[in-house]
Amino acid sequence: MAQLSQLLSRLPEGKDVRMSTMGHVLWVCWHGKLPPAVGQTLLNYGGMLVGEEEEQALWFFFTDDVFLALARLTVWGNFNELPVSIELFPGRLQFDRKRDACLLLDASLQAQEMLVRDSLEVWVHPKSREGKKSLPGISFERRAGRQGMSSVDWANMLVDVRMPYASTHSWFAILHPLGSPLDKAFQSGWTAMFKKVETLLQRLKIKSIVSGTFVMLAMDNLLMLRTFLRDYLHSFDKENGEGGVYWPCVCVIADRNNLNFNSDLPKKIGLQWDNLMPDFPYLRYRNAYLLGEGFTVRDLRYTGEQVSMDDWCNVLLNENSLSERSIPLLMPARLTAGDSTEPGCFYCGIHSHTAAQCPTRSCPPAAADLWDRIAVLDLEAVNEGFRRIEQVLNEEGVAGYAALLRDGGDAALVLQGVLDLNSACQLRNVPRNWLYRMREPEPGEGLPPRDDSPAWEMLDKLSVAAPEDLADLEKKIAQNISRHQRDPRLRMAQGFCQVERQDFVRAAASFGEAAVLTPSPMLQAWNEFLQARLEEEQGHFGAAIEQYGQVWRVTQWREAQYREMVCKVKMGFAEAVLDPLTKLIRDDPSYFNHILMDPALERGRLLILSSLYDLWAEAKKKAESEGPAINALDARLHDWFSAEHPVQLLLGGKIRQLEKLASISSYIAFLKVVETRPALEKELEECINREVEELRNRYKYYLDILQEIRDEASWFPFPSALREFSRDFNESAGIINRAFSCNFRDAEAFKRVQADTPRLAELLRNLRKRLQFLRMVRDGTLFGLTMGKTFMWIEIVGLLLCFIGVPVVVFWGDSLRLGWLREILGEDQWSIQKVLILIVTVISFGLAALRTTLVFDRKREKLLEQARKQREQAQQTRLERIRKQRRAEEEKARREREVLAAKRAQSKLKEKTGV
């Protein structure tokens, strides 16, 4: 038994409803396999399959053709076995933002169950029968519902088998080629394409009328419409190489209703033909969803309000790459609304207001980093910004611009970007262009001072003037021009005033006069650019393209090249600018976001978004491929440096920014990721090399300090007093030995050595402090010993002289003619002897101190050098012993390998000989 609730549970929940309509719902249940004729009949009569599972399905009909479809099935079921049960009841079809369809039914209907019989049964709800008594050949017979059905007044359908029950659906298709019939390219391109269209019409037997540049076709049923659209789109499918001859052509499918099939049909449709996009047929939503499988429905633009099923949309084939390979961005309807035949705002290009009402008049000039901030805005954030813009502008109108800019956030940023697209033409940027003569100021360059020209005063008054004050202001400008006839800036101020008064002819003349008077080539080109902009907003695209092209050839100013492409898109020739737009983006990637956010490109948005998708996908793929490299970069940074290290603090922040940038869905962000990651990796490698070299040099420096300490402390007379000193010294030596024994290029070893650095520095500081005391004790001891040794020798010599000299003088003084000395000595020789001993001692002490002072440094260095040589000799001996030990081990290993090789050779020989 089929259960309706089970089928309904498989449908989307219907949140964030964007579009809904009341209609007829068919609940179809069957046994086994449903005959194909049932589904085909419902499809041909305008049925839309909403949901299907095993042995039950839900269909939705927009019109009363559902009764004709059921009548046709009833007639067919009278002559064929058809185990199908059908319920018809009212319901609401809803579409969410993602265009997923769901049904809204009464609660009493949702809990139904259906038992299928062996023959066709059709049950009609009483609300569905209301007002349907006049259907030709169709009547209703009330019958009690079966078990499981809702308890309402059900009825069965009675049909007259003699009636044809033909579908009432019919449409008109209108083809309108772009371009001027006087253009030779149009004549050759459209003539060749029309021959191919004519062949298609003859094959499908479709009636047609040709009037001027319009071709009108009559579609009598849904099958004919579906076949024509599929064959038409296939015939000119340039993407799959089936296009052949092609000319851009607008295609509109309109309900026949009360329209007559004649040459006045294009006027009665009510569309602005010069604003429609070629290549993709326009249908109303209810007709687009009737096309069934094989077609993709595309919204024209985003709107914050609910969309009616009678609104227009585009359709394209599923196999067309645009159905999937397109950037999911929709332009708000409020930014593209307005009559395209009327001039738009000269300043921003939006048609919903005039130049005198433009929000750019009261806004300050855009910040220099505006597009850099937009570049790192996620695509979904841009869409949310557009949704917010649409919502506020719907509620507040033109005043909503100021409210959005005042509130800030992503919506304000997106709106600033949209308003800045035509910045070269905006009044708020005129002072900057005058002062800098259209060049970009250098970083940090101050604003040049204004001169005494009255143009500045007129410009300031114009920027705050109300629309009703513009006439008086223009008179004042004219008076100033009569007094300063050679000042081109007054002509420009007059031109902008006339722009705001919608007097475009005089404004173009004023800008032309300013171009003639200005001495600066760039300012002259700017005035010519403004004239081209006036032509563009008036719809004179040919003249605008020509003048933009002239400015581009003279100045190579990309903005002129871009506006030239915009004009071609406005004409409908979007395909012709796809390659130039791609080249422009590759030359200057910032134009990618310009193109995404430009409302002026609405006529070619589908093609352009599809063309940009290849650039987007390419950049995104490259950025995603950088993900593992970024993770490896972060891991490498953590492997090498601790969290507190300066390199970690510096590069860690940059890597976080890069990771954040990689998570942003933005073309410029993709490019920045690809560009930044190698540079950041190079910077990390340079930091590692620099830190490794600095660490190695630091340890070399520490080694020199330790060697100096060792040399100073090597000759110390009291080794037992050096316990703490020796402990710190040995610990320092151990740290240095471990450092130089490891590979500084290994991250783990580097971090370990770096972690030991603070401890080593502390140990060396302590050793140096202790070394001062050791040096004092050592030098004092050496000085004392040296002086004592010198004193002893001098004292001994002096005493010997005293002990020998006095007796010699006493006993042999006369013979040596030293009698005078003997008389001086007198009789008390012992006292004299004691005095002489004291004198000799004092002299010895003084001479010893003097000599020690003179030879102390040399003696100390000699002793330290001897100690150093002994230590180096001992170290050399130890190294030689280690080398001999290693050579012995290598020799032993070599012999073992030779023995092992010999054994293997013998075993192989035995295996070969079988012994």
Side-chain angles (χ1 to χ4, degrees):
M1 182 177 291
Q3 296 179 346
L4 181 57
S5 59
Q6 183 177 352
L7 182 54
L8 290 172
S9 65
R10 297 180 179 273
L11 300 180
E13 296 182 6
K15 295 181 179 179
D16 191 18
V17 176
R18 181 172 181 268
M19 184 166 48
S20 66
T21 185
M22 286 295 297
H24 302 283
V25 178
L26 281 186
W27 180 28
V28 183
C29 307
W30 63 88
H31 273 322
K33 185 177 180 181
L34 181 68
V38 176
Q40 191 62 47
T41 300
L42 297 178
L43 191 65
N44 290 339
Y45 278 79
M48 175 183 170
L49 181 61
V50 180
E52 183 180 10
E53 66 170 11
E54 187 177 356
E55 296 189 343
Q56 60 175 333
L58 279 171
W59 291 74
F60 184 86
F61 282 78
F62 296 99
T63 66
D64 292 340
D65 272 22
V66 63
F67 294 98
L68 303 177
L70 292 176
R72 177 63 64 90
L73 287 177
T74 301
V75 173
W76 192 74
N78 290 336
F79 303 99
N80 298 274
E81 183 179 349
L82 195 61
V84 178
S85 294
I86 300 175
E87 277 190 17
L88 171 62
F89 44 80
R92 178 174 292 275
L93 178 67
Q94 296 180 333
F95 291 91
D96 59 16
R97 297 288 175 189
K98 298 180 179 179
R99 290 194 293 274
D100 292 329
C102 68
L103 289 171
L104 185 62
L105 308 176
D106 289 341
S108 59
L109 297 174
Q110 296 179 18
Q112 291 188 100
E113 296 180 347
M114 177 71 75
L115 181 63
V116 181
R117 301 300 178 96
D118 293 335
S119 60
L120 175 66
E121 289 184 331
V122 178
W123 301 90
V124 183
H125 194 277
K127 290 185 178 180
S128 298
R129 302 195 306 266
E130 291 179 359
K132 305 299 186 297
K133 294 182 180 180
S134 59
L135 293 174
I138 299 176
S139 60
F140 302 98
E141 179 184 4
R142 295 182 178 180
R143 292 183 58 186
R146 301 192 183 280
Q147 182 180 0
M149 295 173 60
S150 176
S151 56
V152 296
D153 187 14
W154 293 100
N156 292 131
M157 281 185 60
L158 300 178
V159 300
D160 188 347
V161 296
R162 296 169 298 178
M163 299 294 291
Y165 302 113
S167 174
T168 62
H169 286 301
S170 58
W171 296 269
F172 291 129
I174 305 174
L175 304 179
H176 176 55
L178 302 182
S180 171
L182 302 178
D183 187 7
K184 292 183 179 180
F186 174 91
Q187 295 171 4
S188 59
W190 171 239
T191 302
M193 180 177 172
F194 179 74
K195 291 180 179 179
K196 195 169 184 180
V197 172
E198 194 174 25
T199 303
L200 175 63
L201 300 181
Q202 292 174 356
R203 178 166 56 85
L204 298 179
K205 296 180 175 58
I206 298 176
K207 295 181 291 184
S208 63
I209 297 176
V210 179
S211 175
T213 58
F214 290 92
V215 178
M216 289 148 283
L217 315 175
M219 306 290 173
D220 296 331
N221 54 64
L222 183 59
L223 179 61
M224 181 180 290
L225 174 65
R226 190 181 294 121
T227 304
F228 166 74
L229 285 177
R230 183 178 289 109
D231 291 352
Y232 174 78
L233 291 173
H234 267 301
S235 297
F236 305 103
D237 187 359
K238 304 174 293 300
E239 191 174 75
N240 297 321
E242 302 174 9
V245 179
Y246 168 77
W247 184 258
C249 182
V250 173
C251 177
V252 175
I253 309 296
D255 291 286
R256 184 170 295 187
N257 294 333
N258 296 322
L259 299 175
N260 295 321
F261 190 46
N262 53 37
S263 58
D264 293 333
L265 188 59
K267 299 178 182 177
K268 296 180 180 180
I269 295 297
L271 291 174
Q272 300 170 1
W273 291 94
D274 292 336
N275 197 34
L276 299 183
M277 178 171 37
D279 300 327
F280 306 103
Y282 283 78
L283 291 85
R284 299 191 185 276
Y285 278 104
R286 65 172 64 251
N287 295 325
Y289 285 113
L290 294 182
L291 296 177
E293 296 182 357
F295 293 89
T296 298
V297 180
R298 293 295 300 264
D299 300 319
L300 296 183
R301 60 185 66 87
Y302 172 79
T303 176
E305 302 172 339
Q306 283 203 9
V307 180
S308 168
M309 293 297 292
D310 290 322
D311 287 341
W312 293 94
C313 63
N314 293 118
V315 296
L316 58 155
L317 296 175
N318 284 352
E319 56 263 32
N320 193 316
S321 66
L322 270 68
S323 61
E324 296 181 356
R325 297 176 58 81
S326 181
I327 299 175
L329 182 75
L330 289 177
M331 182 61 59
R334 283 289 174 174
L335 296 182
T336 57
D339 188 353
S340 63
T341 60
E342 296 294 328
C345 174
F346 174 81
Y347 294 139
C348 67
I350 298 174
H351 283 254
S352 59
H353 60 262
T354 63
Q357 301 171 318
C358 186
T360 62
R361 296 179 75 248
S362 57
C363 296
D369 64 341
L370 171 62
W371 289 103
D372 291 335
R373 287 186 289 150
I374 293 176
V376 295
L377 204 59
D378 192 86
L379 182 64
E380 184 56 34
V382 175
N383 279 324
E384 286 297 328
F386 276 145
R387 292 188 185 101
R388 176 64 180 163
I389 291 171
E390 178 71 11
Q391 178 184 357
V392 174
L393 294 184
N394 276 334
E395 296 172 356
E396 304 184 27
V398 178
Y401 289 103
L404 285 164
L405 295 173
R406 184 175 58 251
D407 294 343
D410 291 342
L413 189 60
V414 172
L415 183 58
Q416 289 175 25
V418 172
L419 296 177
D420 192 62
L421 288 169
N422 293 297
S423 59
C425 307
Q426 293 171 1
L427 192 65
R428 58 177 175 168
N429 292 317
V430 171
R432 180 171 176 266
N433 293 339
W434 282 356
L435 292 172
Y436 290 109
R437 296 180 180 270
M438 296 300 293
R439 66 175 177 85
E440 289 296 327
E442 298 294 333
E445 181 180 358
L447 191 67
R450 296 185 176 187
D451 58 13
D452 57 355
S453 171
W456 293 105
E457 181 184 358
M458 296 297 101
L459 188 67
D460 292 338
K461 289 182 179 180
L462 177 60
S463 63
V464 296
E468 59 271 14
D469 299 331
L470 292 174
D472 293 338
L473 182 60
E474 186 178 355
K475 292 180 182 178
K476 292 180 182 179
I477 297 174
Q479 293 172 0
N480 280 281
I481 290 176
S482 64
R483 292 192 295 268
H484 304 82
Q485 297 185 6
R486 303 300 299 174
D487 192 342
R489 290 170 293 182
L490 283 170
R491 298 296 203 291
M492 293 190 68
Q494 184 182 48
F496 282 110
C497 184
Q498 291 162 346
V499 163
E500 295 191 11
R501 296 191 65 195
Q502 301 288 301
D503 192 350
F504 295 130
V505 176
R506 293 177 61 204
S510 296
F511 289 135
E513 293 174 3
V516 173
L517 293 174
T518 183
S520 169
M522 286 304 299
L523 289 177
Q524 181 180 355
W526 179 35
N527 280 278
E528 294 175 355
F529 181 86
L530 295 175
Q531 295 175 66
R533 177 85 179 108
L534 284 170
E535 298 287 356
E536 176 188 345
E537 283 307 319
Q538 293 178 85
H540 306 154
F541 300 121
I545 290 172
E546 183 178 354
Q547 192 141 12
Y548 281 137
Q550 181 179 349
V551 174
W552 161 250
R553 287 189 294 272
V554 173
T555 64
Q556 296 296 298
W557 185 19
R558 284 200 179 101
E559 187 62 22
Q561 183 187 23
Y562 176 68
R563 296 312 308 176
E564 183 181 353
M565 298 178 195
V566 171
C567 288
K568 291 181 180 178
V569 174
K570 286 182 176 181
M571 293 175 67
F573 294 93
E575 189 176 6
V577 304
L578 297 182
D579 291 337
L581 279 177
T582 302
K583 184 178 183 302
L584 178 64
I585 291 172
R586 293 194 183 277
D587 293 339
D588 188 351
S590 65
Y591 273 94
F592 189 95
N593 287 327
H594 285 63
I595 295 168
L596 278 188
M597 303 171 68
D598 196 346
L601 298 176
E602 185 62 21
R603 198 174 186 186
R605 185 162 298 278
L606 270 179
L607 277 175
I608 292 172
L609 290 181
S610 177
S611 177
L612 295 185
Y613 183 84
D614 293 332
L615 290 175
W616 174 282
E618 177 187 353
K620 184 178 181 180
K621 183 178 180 181
K622 290 181 179 179
E624 288 176 348
S625 66
E626 295 289 341
I630 295 174
N631 295 333
L633 198 64
D634 188 42
R636 184 168 173 78
L637 180 64
H638 281 85
D639 288 343
W640 276 90
F641 303 105
S642 61
E644 300 81 12
H645 197 279
V647 174
Q648 174 71 262
L649 298 177
L650 175 63
L651 294 186
K654 292 184 179 181
I655 291 177
R656 303 295 170 276
Q657 292 177 357
L658 187 61
E659 290 174 343
K660 182 179 179 181
L661 198 64
S663 65
I664 296 174
S665 185
S666 166
Y667 178 74
I668 307 297
F670 296 152
L671 296 184
K672 286 185 177 180
V673 169
V674 175
E675 179 184 358
T676 305
R677 198 275 308 164
L680 195 56
E681 185 175 12
K682 181 180 179 182
E683 185 177 356
L684 176 58
E685 290 301 323
E686 290 176 351
C687 287
I688 290 174
N689 294 334
R690 184 176 63 252
E691 291 295 322
V692 166
E693 193 63 28
E694 288 181 1
L695 187 63
R696 182 182 286 111
N697 292 335
R698 188 180 300 123
Y699 267 81
K700 288 181 179 179
Y701 171 68
Y702 289 156
L703 179 61
D704 293 339
I705 293 176
L706 191 64
Q707 288 178 344
E708 179 186 352
I709 293 172
R710 180 194 60 191
D711 293 341
E712 293 287 343
S714 61
W715 191 89
F716 188 74
F718 311 109
S720 60
L722 297 179
R723 290 181 180 177
E724 294 185 3
F725 182 87
S726 300
R727 186 183 65 244
D728 291 349
F729 181 88
N730 292 334
E731 185 177 354
S732 301
I735 293 175
I736 292 177
N737 287 335
R738 287 197 302 272
F740 282 108
S741 63
C742 67
N743 183 10
F744 279 75
R745 290 290 175 182
D746 180 69
E748 185 178 354
F750 175 83
K751 287 184 70 174
R752 186 171 60 250
V753 172
Q754 197 172 50
D756 291 339
T757 303
R759 174 60 180 167
L760 178 59
E762 181 183 1
L763 289 173
L764 292 177
R765 282 196 300 271
N766 294 335
L767 287 173
R768 278 188 159 180
K769 290 179 182 179
R770 292 192 181 120
L771 185 62
Q772 294 178 359
F773 173 73
L774 295 179
R775 190 180 288 122
M776 291 172 59
V777 174
R778 182 203 66 191
D779 291 350
T781 302
L782 180 60
F783 190 88
L785 292 175
T786 304
M787 190 175 69
K789 180 180 177 182
T790 304
F791 172 76
M792 285 178 58
W793 283 109
I794 297 175
E795 181 74 10
I796 290 171
V797 172
L799 291 177
L800 287 176
L801 290 176
C802 288
F803 289 136
I804 296 173
V806 171
V808 169
V809 171
V810 171
F811 295 106
W812 292 286
D814 294 336
S815 61
L816 295 174
R817 297 179 182 179
L818 296 173
W820 58 274
L821 186 56
R822 186 171 64 84
E823 293 179 357
I824 291 174
L825 292 175
E827 297 296 334
D828 194 3
Q829 300 173 5
W830 179 244
S831 298
I832 296 299
Q833 188 81 7
K834 289 192 293 183
V835 172
L836 289 174
I837 292 172
L838 181 60
I839 292 172
V840 168
T841 300
V842 172
I843 292 173
S844 298
F845 187 81
L847 291 175
L850 178 61
R851 180 181 178 278
T852 302
T853 301
L854 295 175
V855 303
F856 176 76
D857 290 337
R858 185 171 68 253
K859 191 172 185 62
R860 182 185 60 186
E861 293 300 327
K862 182 179 179 181
L863 291 173
L864 293 177
E865 184 65 26
Q866 289 177 355
R868 189 181 298 111
K869 288 181 178 180
Q870 291 176 0
R871 184 176 57 256
E872 290 176 354
Q873 185 177 1
Q875 186 177 2
Q876 190 67 28
T877 303
R878 184 169 61 255
L879 291 175
E880 188 63 31
R881 186 170 62 253
I882 292 173
R883 290 193 187 99
K884 288 181 179 180
Q885 184 178 356
R886 288 180 178 175
R887 285 196 294 269
E889 291 176 353
E890 291 175 358
E891 182 65 21
K892 181 179 179 181
R894 185 183 64 79
R895 290 177 180 176
E896 289 177 352
R897 288 196 299 270
E898 289 178 354
V899 171
L900 183 61
K903 289 181 178 179
R904 288 178 179 174
Q906 290 179 0
S907 62
K908 289 182 179 179
L909 183 61
K910 290 180 179 180
E911 289 176 359
K912 290 180 179 180
T913 57
V915 179

